[in-house]
Amino acid sequence: MMSNKLVRMICDKMVNREELIKQLKSAYRKFKTYSYYDNFGAINRKKLADFEVNESISFSDNFFERFADDLLDETKRRTLFEDTEKVDILCYPKSIEDSQTLGNIPEDNNVVIKLNYFIDLDIKSHILGTLWILRCGWLLDHRLNKNIHGNRINKEVLNKIIDCEKDKSKYSELTPFLFEPYFKRYQIWRDEALDSVEKLLDKNENAIILSLDFKEYYYTATINFEKLKFDIKSAKRKLLGINFDKLNDDDKFDEDLTDFIENIFKKYTKFFERHNYDGNLPMIPIGFLPSLIISNWNLQAFDQSILHIVNPDYYGRYVDDVLMVFKISPKSESFSKANFESNANEIIEKYLTPNPPNPKHDIIRKIVEEGDYGLDNLREKEKSKISEYKNLRIQSTKLNVFSFTHDNSRALIDNFKKEIYRNSSEFRLMHEVENLYADVGKRIFSIQYAESINKFGEIKSIKLNKFELSKTLSWLIRSSIYETDNVSEENRKNVIHAFSGNKKIEFMTLWEKLIEFLFIQNKFKILEEEIRNIHLKISQLDYKSDETSNKSTYAYVDDSQSLMKKSLKQFLFSTYARVSCLKRLQIDI
């Protein structure tokens, strides 16, 4: 008979079926939760509803048991992981041409100038993507610097995964929230930068905040999966003490799963023609959960270069947006009003490019013909250039510098903090419903002035505030559940008017809230009319690529306009279907 110790050694080398079933169920639950809160998740929510019914998810674990058995069979697993025929693309407008007309007449332009391309996958592929995060991706997230704030795994999930990896008997069902709430991490990111400025001012130092972002990062990034696999192994070795001289079944399973993620990335990339790209390294698919982890991992070399070479007083990154704080001493010979008020490009040249005071600051370079900055000079640990960064660009038009002196008012910092706190608290229904009903129209419009708020001539723009509209709809929906008659006709008209003209498309992520609001209000004729109007607006759209947009780096291989219209109609149908399942309505869309 085998000893208990030998049995345990053999079991440790195998993928445990019961453990895999639990992981698949957990992955499904987390993807489902993420999709519920995803602004662009309407189609996936519809797919999830169909999937739950077809697979009887609420009544048995049969699907997860069959799925686990297929994954444990190496031949079936390989076939499943290599099959990417179901990978498709969805396309939504990112920007519509603006006529710059001021007044209360809604913009009604049908020309779309920028698009976003989302990956379209079956539910099983999404489950596998989330499973990869639970088995492999968390290792990459765990290694990230604490100053990286966007798309971070929930700490509760991360700690329980580590405990389970060290002792399989400790496995327990985890929270359904895989990632930290985006608004929480965003607030921390901004607050830390402002706190850094305040600390410098308290020491009678002056400070500069440099804000920058990467241009179309997901489309221009290239992912080296060989390096990614090496980093996963390195993290396992360091954190869990795993020796990779001899791979066990569990390690082989994770390698195959990572290959599956790579196959999805490559299939997505094949939908595009890319210019000036060497090799076959894929771009990052939008709408695939592993992309959230991998997009952070891919910028680690940039993060480390800034932290260890440039060494600013603060560095923080939120996905592809970066904040840096630099100290400028009033006693420094280089300090003067002229120097202190330098524009963003001069700050970049001083801190992020090689110059006499800082010869090692070879982080980025100005690409004269493009007007942006590139990262193709960046090297990793004095080795060869990082080829994956060749096409990354920092947008010169989005560079911003905020200057603060210790002997002036700190009102700007205080206002920043108040605004961040207010926005992070708004969805908690902290305001009285009566006050909301009184000023729906006032809340959802914002006016920007050049100088005086008392002069019409100083008005720069009048815009519908999407964030305020979203909050307003959330409040109205919540209160309407209990009191359907409380909303005045004027306020109802204000909400519907917010979706006039271009806003019918620009506010597509709020369609579901609009439909839900009218549905709860029992305004079915108005609802039918609004859906038909949105459908008509979709059919009128015309895509004309902006000359300054993506043509120099990537282009969809097929007809973007047809795909856009098809995707929008599918999105509209999915939003309507979710709400109307509460009551049967005969509306053809």
Side-chain angles (χ1 to χ4, degrees), residues 427-565:
F427 277 104
R428 300 175 193 167
L429 293 156
M430 295 174 66
H431 296 266
E432 294 292 330
V433 171
E434 289 80 5
N435 293 337
L436 172 67
Y437 289 144
D439 61 358
V440 165
K442 294 178 183 178
R443 296 180 64 87
I444 62 178
F445 284 94
S446 61
I447 301 176
Q448 292 184 329
Y449 298 88
E451 291 182 13
S452 172
I453 65 172
N454 298 313
K455 299 178 181 178
F456 273 108
E458 296 293 341
I459 296 177
K460 291 175 64 180
S461 66
I462 303 173
K463 292 184 178 180
L464 271 163
N465 189 317
K466 184 178 180 181
F467 185 63
E468 290 292 343
L469 177 60
S470 181
K471 291 185 300 187
T472 300
L473 280 168
S474 294
W475 286 329
L476 290 173
I477 290 167
R478 178 76 173 269
S479 59
S480 294
I481 292 172
Y482 306 105
E483 299 178 80
T484 57
D485 297 328
N486 252 4
V487 180
S488 69
E489 188 63 28
E490 180 182 356
N491 281 333
R492 192 178 296 114
K493 285 181 179 179
N494 279 329
V495 169
I496 293 171
H497 178 73
F499 288 85
S500 300
N502 290 355
K503 302 307 176 187
K504 282 185 174 64
I505 305 301
E506 288 183 23
F507 293 169
M508 60 172 287
T509 57
L510 300 182
W511 286 347
E512 193 165 316
K513 287 185 178 181
L514 174 66
I515 293 170
E516 190 173 350
F517 167 63
L518 294 174
F519 185 93
I520 292 173
Q521 287 281 308
N522 295 320
K523 301 299 179 182
F524 301 125
K525 288 186 178 180
I526 297 176
L527 172 58
E528 180 175 354
E529 183 180 355
E530 286 305 303
I531 289 176
R532 293 191 188 283
N533 287 338
I534 293 171
H535 198 273
L536 176 62
K537 184 68 175 177
I538 292 171
S539 66
Q540 294 171 342
L541 292 176
D542 183 24
Y543 173 57
K544 293 182 180 178
S545 179
D546 183 5
E547 291 180 2
T548 62
S549 66
N550 55 28
K551 277 197 170 182
S552 62
T553 54
Y554 70 94
Y556 179 60
V557 295
D558 211 335
D559 182 358
S560 290
Q561 180 167 301
S562 297
L563 177 63
M564 172 186 66
K565 292 182 178 182

Side-chain angles (χ1 to χ4, degrees), residues 20 23-24 27 67 71 77-78 80-81 124-137 225 228-229 232 236 249-265 288 290 294:
L20 181 57
Q23 287 181 336
L24 287 169
F67 200 8
L71 293 173
R77 182 170 76 231
R78 287 276 182 88
L80 178 65
F81 286 179
K124 286 178 73 172
S125 295
H126 279 299
I127 294 172
L128 289 173
T130 312
L131 178 68
W132 177 84
I133 294 175
L134 296 178
R135 293 183 65 96
C136 305
F225 271 88
L228 182 141
K229 292 170 188 175
I232 291 174
K236 278 189 177 183
D249 289 345
D250 209 46
D251 301 323
K252 189 67 178 69
F253 181 92
D254 288 347
E255 281 200 348
D256 290 346
L257 191 56
T258 304
D259 287 339
F260 167 74
I261 303 301
E262 182 178 8
N263 290 338
I264 296 294
F265 273 53
F288 190 38
I294 292 172

